[in-house]
Amino acid sequence: MDPKQKIFKILNQADTVVSGETLSAELGISRVSIWKHIKGLVQSGIPIVSSPKGYRMTRDPDSLMPWEFDVWQDRIHYFQETASTMDEAMALARKGCPDFTVVVAQRQTSGRGRMKRIWLSADGGLYFTVVVRPEIPMILAGLVNLAAAIDVASLLRSLYQVDARLKWPNDILVNRHKICGVLSQMEAEGDQVAHMNIGIGLNVNNAPETEEPIAISLKALLGRPVPRREILVAFLDVFEKRILTFDPLAVIEEWKSRNVTLGRQVRVFTGKDMVEGTAVDVDSYGGLILRLADGTRQTVMYGDCFHQ
Ligand code: BTN
């Protein structure tokens, strides 16, 4: 371990200020060298505060820096700013990064949503992409997206008591306002999923721009800012279990029990077509089954769904 890593470890484990003298004795180097290493750590973004008593690492519950993530820290790739976490995640996935590698950004300059929409990504929101490699056939990939939305919605309910509901395919609404969207990219090997990159944009402390449906943030709902790290960690913990024990039937049942789409008159835009009807069910792959005006049924596998 080099001196910087040793200093980092000591300060990270300490609950209080650690004097320059203590660090110098622990590492067997001069106090001036300690000071130089601390300066280097601060320059690389580590929040160390110096005082006449010594050095202390600040604990910001909202910080998304990898070293704050405990067991997840080796898999977190943090960007102060990037075009899109989807691009960073794709590059890592193609290079064979470990499962559950996470790319998280403070802000994105070209954040994107489904159907080629822009996802405005100002400071304060939670923007991340997780690389997963579920052992499932490609045809079930849509269920992984539904599962990601289910897991975000249930942690919003359990941590913050907000009534988070699912709109097909994987939007999360609270009181009909969109709080979260999920975008995924997949690459396959034969008919099996090679990797899926699940991108999640959650309005936490940002002021989301108006869109259809009108967006809302967690901060606006609760009337206080919310530390983003606890949300990300809670999600990663449940989503990892979800993928490692993937149960397609459970995903469909859970999605149905929390959705606001079934039973409604909807319009689904697929990019080239528009289908209108009553949403009556989801099939075993997560496709939305519509009953059309002439009584026939049609299943749509992807698209933008508007409730009428
Ligand atoms: C949607 O509702 O249209 C999906 C929005 C997904 C946005 C997230 S933010 C993190 C990741 N990076 C992106 O560029 N998009 C996704």
Side-chain angles (χ1 to χ4, degrees):
M1 222 188 261
D2 78 13
K4 276 205 189 71
Q5 285 173 318
K6 277 190 193 156
I7 295 172
F8 174 80
K9 199 170 165 212
I10 294 169
L11 295 182
N12 196 28
Q13 285 169 350
D15 298 328
T16 178
V17 176
V18 181
S19 69
E21 208 171 356
T22 306
L23 288 172
S24 142
E26 290 265 347
L27 274 78
I29 57 177
S30 71
R31 287 176 63 177
V32 174
S33 304
I34 294 287
W35 178 79
K36 281 187 186 150
H37 289 306
I38 297 263
K39 210 168 138 199
L41 285 167
V42 172
Q43 273 162 2
S44 63
I46 296 177
I48 298 172
V49 178
S50 312
S51 71
K53 288 187 179 164
Y55 305 101
R56 182 174 57 82
M57 205 127 106
T58 59
R59 301 262 171 243
D60 173 3
D62 189 50
S63 164
L64 299 172
M65 294 299 191
W67 56 82
E68 305 278 11
F69 280 86
D70 199 5
V71 295
W72 285 100
Q73 63 177 282
D74 294 340
R75 285 174 284 173
I76 303 278
H77 295 246
Y78 170 84
F79 291 83
Q80 184 72 17
E81 182 174 292
T82 185
S84 163
T85 57
M86 300 307 287
D87 300 338
E88 304 287 354
M90 185 58 90
L92 290 166
R94 286 180 175 163
K95 276 193 229 145
C97 67
D99 281 13
F100 300 98
T101 290
V102 181
V103 179
V104 61
Q106 191 70 20
R107 53 185 171 271
Q108 301 180 110
T109 52
S110 302
R112 52 183 191 265
R114 294 173 55 253
M115 310 295 284
K116 298 189 178 149
R117 277 192 307 262
I118 292 171
W119 186 265
L120 293 169
S121 311
D123 280 312
L126 181 56
Y127 315 110
F128 66 98
T129 303
V130 191
V131 179
V132 293
R133 295 190 174 83
E135 290 179 5
I136 55 169
M138 230 161 56
I139 192 151
L140 294 181
L143 295 180
V144 176
N145 301 331
L146 296 190
I150 293 169
D151 287 345
V152 174
S154 58
L155 76 85
L156 291 178
R157 285 193 300 274
S158 61
L159 291 180
Y160 309 109
Q161 291 74 51
V162 296
D163 187 21
R165 301 274 166 172
L166 303 160
K167 172 171 157 286
W168 188 87
N170 36 40
D171 283 351
I172 301 176
L173 309 186
V174 179
N175 307 332
R176 299 192 182 177
H177 297 313
K178 181 161 169 173
I179 193 164
C180 180
V182 179
L183 170 73
S184 79
Q185 286 185 304
M186 180 188 66
E187 291 192 317
E189 271 164 21
D191 66 353
Q192 288 289 116
V193 169
H195 63 87
M196 285 185 77
N197 306 338
I198 312 287
I200 296 183
L202 177 62
N203 298 320
V204 183
N205 301 317
N206 54 316
E209 301 288 319
T210 297
E211 59 162 78
E212 182 57 44
I214 295 168
I216 196 154
S217 71
L218 201 49
K219 181 179 169 186
L221 282 168
L222 303 183
R224 64 169 171 94
V226 179
R228 291 167 297 170
R229 191 170 65 250
E230 69 183 18
I231 303 176
L232 182 49
V233 170
F235 174 77
L236 294 173
D237 288 344
V238 291
F239 196 57
E240 183 181 38
K241 278 198 200 85
R242 163 83 70 183
I243 296 297
L244 296 178
T245 56
F246 197 70
D247 179 350
L249 289 179
V251 171
I252 292 168
E253 284 317 305
E254 283 178 55
W255 188 88
K256 281 186 184 176
S257 74
R258 288 288 170 185
N259 90 91
V260 286
T261 299
L262 297 184
R264 299 190 64 143
Q265 186 69 14
V266 298
R267 273 191 191 147
V268 183
F269 293 86
T270 62
K272 41 184 192 349
D273 295 321
M274 190 275 282
V275 193
E276 187 168 1
T278 308
V280 287
D281 208 349
V282 283
D283 70 9
S284 25
Y285 309 115
L288 186 66
I289 304 172
L290 302 183
R291 191 179 55 239
L292 310 189
D294 63 5
T296 59
R297 289 182 171 224
Q298 187 172 335
T299 303
V300 276
M301 292 312 295
Y302 67 93
D304 246 353
C305 177
F306 292 89
H307 293 171
Q308 302 299 292

